[in-house]
Amino acid sequence: MMSYSMGPLEPSVPEGTIGEQLDRIAAENGAGEALVIASQDVRWTWVELRDRTDALVRGFAKLGLTVGDRVGICAPNCAEWVLTQLATARLGLVLVSINPAYRTHELGHALRLAGVRALVTAKQFKTSDYVSMIAELIPASNSDEVAPLFDPTLPDLRYVIEIGGATARARIGFDSLLLADDNPIPTVKLDADQAINIQFTSGTTGAPKGATLSHRNLLHNAVCSAAGMRLGADDRLCIPVPLYHCFGMVLGVLVCLVSGATMVFPGQTFDAGDVLKTISAERCTGLHGVPTMFLAVLDHPEFGKADLTSLRTGIAAGALCPAPMMRRMIDDMNLSDITIGYGMTETSPLSTQTLPDADLVTRTETVGTMMPYFEGRVIDPAGNLVPLGATGEYCSRGPGVMLGYWSQPEATAAAIRDGWMHSGDLATMDEQGRVRIVGRIKDMIIRGGENIYPAEVEAFLATHPAIAEVAVFGVPCERLGEQVCAWIRPRWPIDANEVLAWSRGKISHQKIPSRIRVVDAFPMTVTGKIQKFAMRDIEQGNISM
């Protein structure tokens, strides 16, 4: 038997566009709560969300933005983000999701690569001062002249739209766009397969690229993910993951759009205390997050005081959940139906998901089976299927595979071959079609000619009761080529020698880390993914802690 599997042929792949889905849900469940953000005093029904979206559509149209124009957004989670996402989709604009952690150089690169015509931005977020960054990139934007802008370094950009009011005449206040007249919404001819979103890859292994996604890509993933969680109009989904990433935008906003569930945002960014308060106050039935987020919630000092009895379902993605953590999520957080999702930005994002009633082994050692209409396979370097249980590169094909990388045809051709998206992840597949991710091809450690998969070592070390989180990667070694290095975040004080002594005799000697560093925190992306390349640089002395 070879490593190939196909998902079920239901639910059906949705037809139409995101705007049409917004109209459907407003007609079916108009009085139901759509969006709740307590920090902004937002509590809108689906009809109210649709009407505000339509007002923003008119505002965008008044600026002369037309089908295919790119509109960037650089902001933390907020109501304006959700409105911009839905309004651009309705008008046929391409939403360019920009990481709010970007600095001037990265922001400029994203704006140039995508040819952004209008930028929706917060004034600042944490240590990022977007007003200053924009003034540095586009000096004219800080003037008293009236928009539209022009700067030869960013020739496509014409409008800067500030959330919270404009700081210069050359900019536009977001709220002013909502005050556009009540003329009919512009009639535009849209296709479900046209580009609607550019998502920059998270950059855990290299420079971000712009994955280009369509209405069909995004709606297919939303419908199938919602079905996988058994989500319905009575559910209330707590969304602490960032909107600039597919996790928040697709598995949060669009999952609720297709199911009628309520979107509940606990704040601008992830805070474990805010998540606990929000779940209790809003009686949330679902919760999304990467494992580090769930762990932070479980370990929060106020955890025992929070009422989490309403919880049932959600998605954990981004990394495997160790069995002890999963047991706590099920038993202590009432997440009986929690699902594990796996994928990548380029697949909109999920290509596999566990079922709500999956056993503990499936939820902790695998990433589930193929999503509806998705095919999956595991191949060797020559492109041939490997036998079940053998390790190779995981590839997927289906309605969620991106259109390509924006303005990067060579990168697109390297990633998608015969419709198959090459993940760069090493995996195995079993007779049930369950996929196990064992590491990145680039992360695989070759020690003295033997292949060592970081995920296997991480899963082992995570069983130590004192270890809260662990990351394993390879570092250069003159004698063996590479050696195993582990970073550990402990629950209580522990030193490297204790871990080494505990490991001996439990796993093969070559898999025992030669280096162990005990740390308080890992370098992370905004989405909560561990950046192993940054750890490797620190170990090699390229950068300091």
Side-chain angles (χ1 to χ4, degrees):
M1 296 286 289
M2 307 305 283
S3 297
Y4 170 86
S5 181
M6 182 170 182
L9 300 181
E10 57 180 19
S12 60
V13 179
E15 297 295 331
T17 66
I18 290 168
E20 290 168 340
Q21 178 58 37
L22 177 59
D23 287 336
R24 278 194 290 270
I25 201 69
E28 295 168 5
N29 191 27
E33 275 196 328
L35 179 64
V36 174
I37 308 179
S39 61
Q40 290 188 283
D41 197 27
V42 166
R43 194 174 291 275
W44 299 338
T45 66
W46 285 107
V47 165
E48 289 171 329
L49 179 60
R50 182 203 59 197
D51 291 347
R52 284 176 169 84
T53 297
D54 288 349
L56 185 56
V57 168
R58 295 185 188 97
F60 281 148
K62 219 171 176 184
L63 294 180
L65 299 174
T66 59
V67 174
D69 282 344
R70 273 78 68 201
V71 175
I73 182 165
C74 186
N77 289 359
C78 57
E80 291 86 353
W81 217 112
V82 177
L83 289 175
T84 301
Q85 176 184 350
L86 297 176
T88 51
R90 191 190 273 293
L91 192 53
L93 308 174
V94 180
L95 182 67
V96 181
S97 308
I98 298 172
N99 186 334
Y102 278 0
R103 299 298 184 175
T104 306
H105 174 77
E106 298 159 308
L107 176 60
H109 170 74
L111 296 175
R112 277 186 286 270
L113 178 64
V116 168
R117 189 168 183 80
L119 174 65
V120 177
T121 178
K123 286 185 169 63
Q124 61 182 35
F125 176 60
K126 292 187 176 180
T127 59
S128 295
D129 184 339
Y130 304 119
V131 170
S132 297
M133 284 194 282
I134 292 165
E136 183 179 340
L137 286 168
I138 323 159
S141 71
N142 212 35
S143 74
D144 285 332
E145 295 180 11
V146 179
L149 303 166
F150 178 75
D151 189 283
T153 62
L154 288 166
D156 297 297
L157 189 62
R158 289 292 181 275
Y159 302 102
V160 173
I161 302 161
E162 288 187 4
I163 295 171
T167 56
R169 285 187 67 203
R171 304 178 197 169
I172 300 166
F174 186 94
D175 287 349
S176 69
L177 293 182
L178 298 175
L179 301 175
D181 55 48
D182 292 331
N183 288 334
I185 297 172
T187 301
V188 291
K189 184 174 177 57
L190 304 180
D191 186 287
D193 292 312
Q194 75 184 71
I196 201 66
N197 180 224
I198 296 174
Q199 290 267 342
F200 288 99
T201 57
S202 58
T204 59
T205 57
K209 297 183 288 289
T212 307
L213 309 172
S214 68
H215 290 276
R216 193 184 308 279
N217 288 155
L218 302 179
L219 287 174
H220 165 265
N221 222 276
V223 166
C224 295
S225 301
M229 288 188 287
R230 299 174 180 163
L231 208 67
D234 293 332
D235 283 301
R236 300 171 70 81
L237 182 61
C238 182
I239 309 170
V241 292
L243 278 167
Y244 87 85
H245 189 273
C246 270
F247 204 163
M249 179 183 170
V250 181
L251 304 182
V253 173
L254 296 185
V255 154
C256 291
L257 183 74
V258 300
S259 66
T262 304
M263 311 169 231
V264 183
F265 289 90
Q268 288 189 313
T269 187
F270 173 74
D271 179 274
D274 289 343
V275 169
L276 287 170
K277 291 174 187 174
T278 299
I279 292 169
S280 297
E282 297 295 337
R283 308 304 296 151
C284 293
T285 59
L287 174 64
H288 282 351
V290 297
T292 51
M293 290 179 177
F294 283 100
L295 187 60
V297 171
L298 285 162
D299 289 344
H300 193 274
E302 298 295 313
F303 178 79
K305 301 176 184 177
D307 181 359
L308 307 181
T309 55
S310 59
L311 283 178
R312 174 185 62 82
T313 189
I315 296 175
L320 289 176
C321 287
M325 186 197 304
M326 178 59 70
R327 178 50 64 196
R328 293 175 70 195
M329 290 163 63
I330 294 172
D331 293 344
D332 300 342
M333 297 183 74
N334 295 300
L335 288 168
S336 58
D337 291 354
I338 189 72
T339 68
I340 302 299
Y342 163 82
M344 52 201 304
T345 305
E346 292 87 340
T347 55
S348 306
L350 298 186
S351 59
T352 73
Q353 188 178 17
T354 60
L355 297 175
D357 55 0
D359 58 37
L360 193 64
V361 170
T362 299
R363 289 198 250 195
T364 58
E365 296 183 14
T366 84
V367 291
T369 53
M370 302 310 300
M371 295 276 282
Y373 293 89
F374 254 105
E375 299 171 86
R377 64 180 185 177
V378 182
I379 61 172
D380 63 22
N384 302 310
L385 291 174
V386 301
L388 291 175
T391 299
E393 183 183 13
Y394 169 79
C395 302
S396 59
R397 182 168 67 180
V401 173
M402 66 174 181
L403 303 178
Y405 292 118
W406 187 269
S407 296
Q408 294 178 294
E410 291 181 4
T412 300
I416 304 175
R417 298 167 229 166
D418 295 326
W420 290 95
M421 182 69 214
H422 288 245
S423 70
D425 283 335
L426 292 165
T428 65
M429 185 180 290
D430 65 18
E431 63 280 354
Q432 298 176 50
R434 297 180 302 181
V435 176
R436 286 175 168 82
I437 303 298
V438 299
R440 294 282 299 168
I441 290 175
K442 292 180 180 178
D443 285 347
M444 186 176 71
I445 304 165
I446 304 177
R447 180 189 180 277
E450 294 189 70
N451 294 344
I452 297 173
Y453 304 111
E456 179 186 0
V457 183
E458 289 167 350
F460 164 72
L461 292 174
T463 63
H464 191 293
I467 296 176
E469 286 184 283
V470 59
V472 171
F473 51 94
V475 291
C477 172
E478 273 190 42
R479 185 170 65 89
L480 298 169
E482 283 186 293
Q483 59 182 349
V484 181
C485 180
W487 279 31
I488 289 169
R489 186 176 72 79
R491 299 184 192 279
W492 55 77
I494 189 173
D495 63 35
N497 290 330
E498 290 178 74
V499 177
L500 291 174
W502 174 82
S503 300
R504 293 189 184 102
K506 293 186 175 72
I507 57 170
S508 302
H509 72 91
Q510 72 270 17
K511 297 176 185 176
I512 295 175
S514 301
R515 291 193 209 175
I516 293 178
R517 186 188 289 258
V518 180
V519 298
D520 294 327
F522 298 146
M524 312 280 275
T525 68
V526 172
T527 55
K529 293 183 181 178
I530 293 171
Q531 294 178 311
K532 290 187 178 180
F533 72 88
M535 299 179 187
R536 192 176 293 112
D537 283 344
I538 290 169
E539 290 295 334
Q540 293 177 231
N542 295 336
I543 58 176
S544 59
M545 287 282 283

